[in-house]
Amino acid sequence: AFLLRRKILSSSEDSDFCSAKQGGKSSAPARGTCYAGIADILLRKTRRITIMKKTKAVLAILMAGTMMLGLAGCGGNSSSATQGTTTGTETGSAAGDAAGTDAAASASDMNVMLETPVESLDPQQATDGTSFEVIADYTDGLMQMDADGQAVPAIAESYDLSDDGLTYTFHLRTDAKWSNGTPVTAADFVFGWQRAVDPDVASEYAYMLSDIGQIKNAAEIIAGEKDKSELGVTAVDDNTLQVELNVPVSYFTSLMYFPTFYPVNEEFFTSCGDTFATSPETVLSNGAFVLDSYQPAATAFHLTKNADYYDTDRVKLSGLSYQVIQDSQQALMSYQTGALDTTLVNGEQVDQVKDDPEFTTVGAGYLWYVSPNMNSVPELANLNIRLAMTMAIDRDSITADVLKDGSASTYTAVPMQFAAGPDGSDFSEDQTKFSDVCAYDTAKAADYWAKGLEELGESEITLDMVVDADDAPQKVAQVLKEQWETALPGLTVNLVVEPKKQRVEDMQNGNFQLGLTRWGPDYADPMTYLGMWVTDNSNNYGLWSNADYDAIIDECTTGDLCTDAEGRWARLYDAEKIVMDEAVIYPLYTQCNAEMLSSKVTGVEYHPVAINRVYKDAVKTE
């Protein structure tokens, strides 16, 4: 992905790495779990960045207390689950407890910490992992992931694939219904997918249907050349959905559990108007839970088990109570008081809790990297300047001394241990293959820097770097600043701290110089990363363009190589080499979540692809 993409709180592989499965072959011994073997190296003091103002607790209380003053409903939900119930106010105790209480909550609710607020609950508009997780809590797509990350039936009970690999026919279950009582039909998928490619909707993930999914006419519709009604998806009848592709796509079924491909009921959507997906009254559930308390930018919200879910016997939790807590110390104190069942920990906190039996490390696939704006910043258009900056980064210091969560230093554009090739090997197992252009080598960095300054006719450069207003990214950004300014004479880096939503918007609009960002895989294939740097891709923040690179990606998606697994894999390596040789990004680390997870909770599934946490099988004991 994505983003997501992707994609939820943090995460990814670690020093001993995490694993995902592709094509039935595991890419690591134990999928989804990190073993945080932090090296015994000299610890370096780094400055902690305080991101929470004294007024934050008061603001959080006010936000949570007014959650039910949100937008007016549109049709509402008639599920047996309680609708429109407030999660209550945050209880600002001395321990920094922001968990709050819920009038509809029960002791078997799971209390979950989030680093960042939900940005959108519209499945065709959402772009971040936090939003994807919450949307997936209450919505099922055609397929879902099993514990090993494989695509298994959800709303679709089965599917047929034509001999030429170009036509999928999905057979929908007849007992799936929305929380207003109406059946989930093939038409709901048609409407949702047409929204995804509609130029008027301008979905950032529209390319998942065109470039990635290769659905017939998707690219032409996105370009405004055809009407959305011509998308290659047809409701044959209420329970039969036919999808036509331009070329065979080996991972197509794994795309079906990604939120962009989720269904939307047209009648309900129309009744909501501009308020769709902004409140419990303006969303419908067909999944394991029902959203019953939420407003945009909420610091606390709640979901209740969906008694009308077709697989309701599987779901053991009575609900999910989410708390957005951006200060890691506040979050840990809330966990220690019992107000949270799970929370992230990082940095010095790991030293405090690493021997606790409730401490664990879990991967979710995110690659963190710095994106230089090569389009509008002359200094960063210079290749030697970019190479100097990536060669001056001590990634091991960041992962071992700052994060301490098992994150793995990364020197490739595609992270390790998430995508396996035709022979089962990890695409990025060799982390030294680009050592001439991506390594920690201050001598080479100084040489590149001197050449770049000479070419620019400059002796000093000042750059701004946008960074999220979250704890861990700010710590990492401060270390990057120190490393760059120490190794590269004449360089000054100013940190610009922004809420994540604003930071993403600025990067998408090219309104930045350097950006500290991340991407989580939307599906288990290197293309989920490499596809980002195609010319004019919405996630190509640096606005880089290379005709040779675009041609390789075309070969691997619509050309002869799309059906040649080994040939395709080899050319994807060629594409990655171009990205690294051009220093299109400065890879930093593949993140692992260091977490506290209550011993009362079992059965949470962790995935490095698409939806990072799934609670359908989670159990919380008294």
Side-chain angles (χ1 to χ4, degrees):
F2 338 173
L3 19 278
L4 330 10
R5 354 138 254 44
R6 38 236 183 338
K7 279 40 63 3
I8 157 177
L9 63 177
S10 56
S11 56
S12 64
E13 303 47 79
D14 67 353
S15 311
D16 282 343
F17 311 138
C18 313
S19 64
K21 281 192 174 183
Q22 181 194 20
K25 296 183 179 180
S26 178
S27 58
R31 194 215 65 76
T33 303
C34 296
Y35 304 90
I38 302 176
D40 181 19
I41 65 176
L42 180 64
L43 294 178
R44 296 169 15 146
K45 293 283 186 180
T46 57
R47 283 194 295 154
R48 288 198 61 179
I49 303 172
T50 302
I51 63 171
M52 306 299 293
K53 302 293 184 183
K54 290 183 180 179
T55 57
K56 178 170 179 58
V58 176
L59 291 173
I61 292 170
L62 293 174
M63 285 288 289
T66 58
M67 287 178 67
M68 292 314 296
L69 301 179
L71 297 168
C74 62
N77 295 332
S78 60
S79 166
S80 59
T82 303
Q83 300 298 315
T85 306
T86 179
T87 60
T89 60
E90 296 185 39
T91 57
S93 70
D97 177 9
T101 58
D102 191 324
S106 89
S108 59
D109 276 4
M110 183 170 173
N111 302 299
V112 181
M113 172 263 196
L114 293 174
E115 282 186 299
T116 58
V118 169
E119 293 185 12
S120 174
L121 290 179
D122 184 332
Q124 279 76 48
Q125 293 280 28
T127 61
D128 66 293
T130 298
S131 300
F132 290 152
E133 174 178 327
V134 176
I135 293 169
D137 288 338
Y138 64 83
T139 316
D140 273 9
L142 291 171
M143 310 293 283
Q144 61 189 322
M145 284 184 282
D146 66 9
D148 293 324
Q150 299 300 296
V152 295
I155 299 298
E157 286 188 311
S158 63
Y159 69 88
D160 303 315
L161 178 61
S162 62
D163 292 340
D164 60 7
L166 298 179
T167 304
Y168 283 83
T169 303
F170 292 95
H171 304 285
L172 278 55
R173 57 188 317 122
T174 58
D175 55 350
K177 57 183 177 180
W178 295 106
S179 48
N180 64 358
T182 61
V184 179
T185 68
D188 298 329
F189 287 93
V190 172
F191 181 70
W193 294 15
Q194 287 180 352
R195 287 192 70 232
V197 296
D198 187 345
D200 291 337
V201 175
S203 171
E204 289 181 34
Y205 276 82
Y207 72 93
M208 290 287 285
L209 284 79
S210 56
D211 301 353
I212 306 304
Q214 289 296 322
I215 297 176
K216 184 178 178 182
N217 292 333
E220 292 81 359
I221 296 167
I222 294 168
E225 298 168 2
K226 290 187 177 182
D227 186 78
K228 62 184 179 182
S229 63
E230 298 182 74
L231 185 66
V233 55
T234 304
V236 177
D237 56 43
D238 282 352
N239 299 108
T240 308
L241 182 73
Q242 182 176 284
V243 183
E244 299 174 86
L245 307 183
N246 297 317
V247 295
V249 177
S250 61
Y251 47 80
F252 187 77
T253 56
S254 72
L255 300 178
M256 297 300 97
Y257 50 64
F258 193 75
T260 306
F261 292 90
Y262 283 179
V264 175
N265 181 275
E266 183 175 7
E267 182 179 359
F268 179 81
F269 175 86
T270 302
S271 72
C272 292
D274 293 340
T275 68
F276 176 69
T278 58
S279 68
E281 295 77 24
T282 58
V283 298
L284 287 182
S285 165
N286 69 10
F289 299 92
V290 175
L291 186 70
D292 60 9
S293 175
Y294 172 81
Q295 68 176 14
T299 58
F301 56 95
H302 186 267
L303 298 95
T304 296
K305 177 180 175 178
N306 183 4
D308 295 325
Y309 182 46
Y310 64 83
D311 201 9
T312 190
D313 290 343
R314 172 184 176 184
V315 182
K316 306 305 180 186
L317 294 176
S318 62
L320 293 166
S321 181
Y322 281 102
Q323 301 294 328
V324 180
I325 307 177
Q326 293 179 300
D327 180 85
S328 59
Q329 192 59 35
Q330 181 187 1
L332 180 58
M333 288 190 290
S334 292
Y335 177 83
Q336 291 169 336
T337 65
L340 290 174
D341 294 310
T342 185
T343 187
L344 296 176
V345 291
N346 62 66
E348 293 139 358
Q349 291 179 326
V350 175
D351 293 332
Q352 300 170 24
V353 302
K354 63 184 179 183
D355 295 326
D356 191 312
E358 294 187 338
F359 172 75
T360 186
T361 49
V362 180
Y366 283 99
L367 173 68
W368 280 87
Y369 60 95
V370 174
S371 180
N373 188 336
M374 294 167 277
N375 184 64
S376 57
V377 183
E379 296 88 346
L380 294 174
N382 184 281
L383 176 58
N384 282 313
I385 295 296
R386 299 199 303 273
L387 290 173
M389 295 189 74
T390 194
M391 296 292 282
I393 299 171
D394 184 353
R395 294 160 176 83
D396 288 344
S397 176
I398 292 172
T399 57
D401 302 346
V402 180
L403 298 171
K404 301 184 180 183
D405 57 6
S407 295
S409 302
T410 304
Y411 303 85
T412 52
V414 176
M416 69 289 286
Q417 297 295 333
F418 105 93
D423 62 354
S425 64
D426 173 25
F427 185 86
S428 296
E429 181 177 7
D430 182 4
Q431 283 291 297
T432 65
K433 58 187 174 183
F434 303 121
S435 58
D436 56 332
V437 293
C438 187
Y440 178 48
D441 189 327
T442 55
K444 284 187 177 180
D447 288 342
Y448 283 128
W449 184 249
K451 291 176 183 176
L453 290 179
E454 182 179 358
E455 290 167 353
L456 291 169
E458 302 283 353
S459 59
E460 296 181 349
I461 293 176
T462 298
L463 297 169
D464 294 339
M465 182 164 73
V466 292
V467 56
D468 292 350
D470 299 335
D471 204 20
Q474 289 196 63
K475 291 176 182 176
V476 171
Q478 182 62 41
V479 173
L480 286 170
K481 169 183 169 67
E482 293 172 356
Q483 291 179 353
W484 282 330
E485 293 180 350
T486 299
L488 307 175
L491 175 61
T492 299
V493 176
N494 300 315
L495 302 183
V496 180
V497 179
E498 298 181 340
K500 180 181 176 182
K501 185 174 183 179
Q502 183 63 49
R503 191 268 301 165
V504 172
E505 182 178 328
D506 283 343
M507 293 188 71
Q508 288 171 339
N509 293 334
N511 184 26
F512 75 105
Q513 295 182 329
L514 294 166
L516 177 59
T517 187
R518 69 178 186 178
W519 187 260
D522 299 328
Y523 51 98
D525 187 271
M527 193 65 76
T528 192
Y529 288 95
L530 298 177
M532 286 196 293
W533 299 300
V534 171
T535 300
D536 293 333
N537 184 283
S538 61
N539 296 295
N540 183 357
Y541 295 147
L543 301 177
W544 175 73
S545 180
N546 183 294
D548 291 338
Y549 182 84
D550 291 350
I552 293 174
I553 300 302
D554 285 345
E555 281 185 76
C556 296
T557 53
T558 59
D560 294 340
L561 294 180
C562 69
T563 56
D564 177 359
E566 293 182 358
R568 177 178 180 272
W569 216 247
R571 287 298 274 163
L572 290 177
Y573 280 126
D574 294 338
E576 184 185 33
K577 186 176 189 310
I578 295 175
V579 170
M580 296 304 298
D581 286 348
E582 292 289 317
V584 176
I585 63 169
Y586 314 155
L588 298 176
Y589 56 93
T590 306
Q591 188 181 341
C592 190
N593 277 349
E595 295 190 358
M596 300 301 293
L597 179 65
S598 171
S599 57
K600 296 179 180 180
V601 175
T602 58
V604 179
E605 289 183 8
Y606 297 91
H607 301 283
V609 175
I611 308 302
N612 297 139
R613 292 187 297 193
V614 178
Y615 303 97
K616 290 179 178 177
D617 294 314
V619 177
K620 182 180 176 182
T621 58
E622 299 295 329

